[in-house]
Amino acid sequence: MTDSLSPILNLPCLIPSLMSNVTLSNITKKVRTVTALDDVSFHIKDGEFFVLLGQTGAGKTTTLRVIAGLEKQDAGNVAFDDEPVNALTPADRDVAFVFQQYSLYPTMSVYDNLAFPLRSPVHRIPETDIKRKIEQVTEILRISHLLDRKTARLSGGEMQRVSIGRAIVRDPRVFLMDEPLSNLDAKLRESLRVELKHLQKTLGKTILYVTHDQIEALTMADRIAVLNKGQIVQEGTADDIYDRPATTFVAQLVGSPRINLFQAHRENGSLVITGSDVRVVTTHALPEAFLLGVRPEDVRLAADGQFPAEVVLAEPLGVETVLHLKSGNQTLIALVPGMSDAKIGDVVKFSIANDKLHFFDTNRKRIQTT
Amino acid sequence: MASITADSSVNNPISSGRAVARQLSDRAIMNLFIWPTLVLLIAFNFFPLFYSLFLSFTNYRATGNTAPVWIGIENYATILTDPSLWEAFTTTGRYVLFSVALQTVVGFGLAMLIRGKFRGSGLVTTLILVPMMLSPVVVGLFWKMMYNPNFGYFNYLVGMGESGQLDMLASRFGNQAIQGIALASVILVDVWMWSPFVMLLVLSGLNAIPDYLYEAAAIDRASSWFQFWHITLPQVMPLLLIAVLFRTIEALKSFDLVMGLTGGGPGNQTELIAVYLYRVAFLGQFRSGYSSALAYIILIIVIAISNLYIRNLNKIKGEG
């Protein structure tokens, strides 16, 4: 992997690049009567890999299109390095956009597609420099053998790599990527994920990456913003999002298998998961009734565990095993390392990592405990 | 498929109609549908086609009351050396070239104009399509009125309403004859009538182009000229060529519109090949053998041109 990426280090910089801090402030956008974006604000620092995570229809793509200038916001500001760009056309904003659909020019060869952004009359780059740059980019993306091919004759994976190539031959202020990997098969997605991250680190470029895939978000992002129904729910590093989810929505969106979420209440200084044997001593100030979240990896099986449970389902994944445990009326999901020898029907003992509990109030917002 | 057939025969609802249908084999039903069509096709298409091929090698006259006599390729030889035929061909060529080219340009332009959704775009599209839906003879007669040198609307529009000097269909301005005006007026009507057809096909091509191609181009700082040349045109090309193919074939055999407007005149200025054929076949001498040979020559030319088009179309589709 490292070998294939080395040429990126001595890529000639053909177009002088600017700093690229991107600031969105109070962006609101209505599509007909539906509010697609509702008072969205965030700040992307120069050189940051920023991921916008959310489900389909959350407004991720709209945010991207507003930044690119393909759509106009109804209210709010987009600024690059503190300069508002609201009035600029997509071309003048100097961004590169990788679309979810492979937006290549069908009548042109791969080479011409890649050369196109460089051939813009604004820059006047000599053809030999263009050629060298394209050779390097295609080597990184492993598409050198496709250069003479017409784009209509490429496979999906090849097309998307050409699209990414067309974005990185240029040296834009910011890369905007709209689920670029979602149409690819799992293996290719995994390897391109690593390549993209590496590329971003070596080039030091600013990337705003949109995805619904929490794994992509966690693995690649320097910072993540979680978007739900047009609103930013939480913004932070992967650690923040995973370890301190702001709402139950974020907690459930991130992490696989999903977080265990239970109705819980207080009883004589301990907290009890309603309808189960689980009872944990706690010193936190908690309301009478609340929601308790426990990550599957924080449910630990041990011979001296505190609570008994019955194994109702076991899903061996190789590296780890997902166990569904029944305690009282509640089912907990536990993630244990390696292949577990627990069988369905076995009675096992488990404990819960006391310091890793998540508490949410009845409005599904996180209760701060530290 | 097999299981469905088996099933339906098991739960057989007992109704007389179905029982009759069931007695006929699939093959019998097939024949029942095919043969009437085939008989009509043979009687009205195949037989005339081959009989006229035979007649083209004879001196037959439909009014002559004598049996056709085989004269070999004499008809073909006469036709191909007859200068008036070549004149008709030249006129037709000119007509097809200008008419189809103008329709393509105007049709494409109209399509580009109304491609975006706007208030009342459906109504506008329908209105533009109206000329195409009229009968060519009706169109011919109407335009004949419009071209009338004394009370025609056309002259009024071009500012010749008062004098009545310009007579489009007679190719005349005052007392001076100007060659080509009559043909141009026929072409104008044909363009008016059939540009909407080109527009319709181009429009469906334009609507199939995904927006993100234009958006990618906008971000790549492509000029609108580039966008047209590398996105719009290649994507619309296959449909545009189909429109051009249809229009070329139609224009080559144009007859009714010309008959309605000029009847081939003045002189033979607007005498297209189909009009010429009509005159030879049905006016005056009824030279049926001769006109059959002429019809075959036209047929071969139309087929040759269509094949050229189709070959090009496939090549372009192959690239896209």
Side-chain angles (χ1 to χ4, degrees), chain A residues 12 22 38 43 92 135 164 223 268 301 317 329-330 335 362:
Chain A
V22 178
D38 185 4
H43 175 78
D92 291 334
E135 275 166 6
I164 294 171
R223 275 189 319 131
N268 310 328
L301 259 63
L317 302 175
N329 296 328
Q330 299 282 12
L335 194 64
T362 42

Side-chain angles (χ1 to χ4, degrees), chain A residues 306-334:
Chain A
Q306 287 173 277
F307 319 106
E310 187 193 336
V311 178
V312 288
L313 190 65
E315 301 174 75
L317 302 175
V319 200
E320 55 208 9
T321 304
V322 180
L323 293 176
H324 297 241
L325 306 174
K326 195 156 177 93
S327 167
N329 296 328
Q330 299 282 12
T331 306
L332 286 92
I333 293 172

Side-chain angles (χ1 to χ4, degrees), chain A residues 65 94-95 105-107 116 153, chain B residues 215 217 219 221 226 234-235 318:
Chain A
R65 294 170 61 85
D94 192 18
V95 297
Y105 306 125
T107 49
F116 182 72
R153 299 239 189 285
Chain B
E215 290 174 349
I219 285 172
R221 306 164 183 208
F226 175 91
Q235 300 267 326

Side-chain angles (χ1 to χ4, degrees), chain A residues 228-282:
Chain A
N228 185 32
K229 291 176 184 156
Q231 289 178 313
I232 300 272
V233 190
Q234 190 175 3
E235 193 187 324
T237 62
D239 286 356
D240 292 336
I241 302 286
Y242 191 79
D243 288 339
R244 291 172 290 281
T247 66
T248 56
F249 174 82
V250 178
Q252 288 181 304
L253 185 68
V254 181
S256 172
R258 263 188 182 204
I259 192 168
N260 295 294
L261 210 56
F262 302 107
Q263 292 284 347
H265 58 273
R266 274 191 303 138
E267 224 176 84
N268 310 328
S270 356
L271 64 90
V272 178
I273 295 178
T274 312
S276 84
D277 307 333
V278 180
R279 171 183 289 269
V280 186
V281 179
T282 179

Side-chain angles (χ1 to χ4, degrees), chain A residues 65 70 91 94-95 97 99 101 103-108 116-117 123 152-153 166 170, chain B residues 212-223 226 229-231 234-235 318-320:
Chain A
R65 294 170 61 85
L70 293 171
D94 192 18
V95 297
F97 205 119
F99 291 83
Q101 310 91 340
S103 48
L104 303 173
Y105 306 125
T107 49
M108 294 164 55
F116 182 72
H123 305 305
R153 299 239 189 285
R166 201 171 67 193
R170 244 177 70 202
Chain B
Y212 58 78
L213 279 180
Y214 291 107
E215 290 174 349
I219 285 172
D220 284 348
R221 306 164 183 208
S223 60
F226 175 91
W229 204 243
H230 286 278
I231 301 172
Q235 300 267 326
E319 278 173 14

Side-chain angles (χ1 to χ4, degrees), chain A residues 302-367:
Chain A
D304 58 345
Q306 287 173 277
F307 319 106
E310 187 193 336
V311 178
V312 288
L313 190 65
E315 301 174 75
L317 302 175
V319 200
E320 55 208 9
T321 304
V322 180
L323 293 176
H324 297 241
L325 306 174
K326 195 156 177 93
S327 167
N329 296 328
Q330 299 282 12
T331 306
L332 286 92
I333 293 172
L335 194 64
V336 298
M339 302 288 280
S340 166
D341 39 357
K343 303 259 176 314
I344 294 176
D346 285 0
V347 174
V348 293
K349 293 207 151 189
F350 71 92
S351 323
I352 286 176
N354 257 1
D355 52 335
K356 295 273 182 74
L357 299 179
H358 305 273
F359 307 106
F360 303 96
D361 62 22
T362 42
N363 292 326
R364 311 199 141 238
K365 291 225 161 50
R366 182 178 190 81
I367 301 169

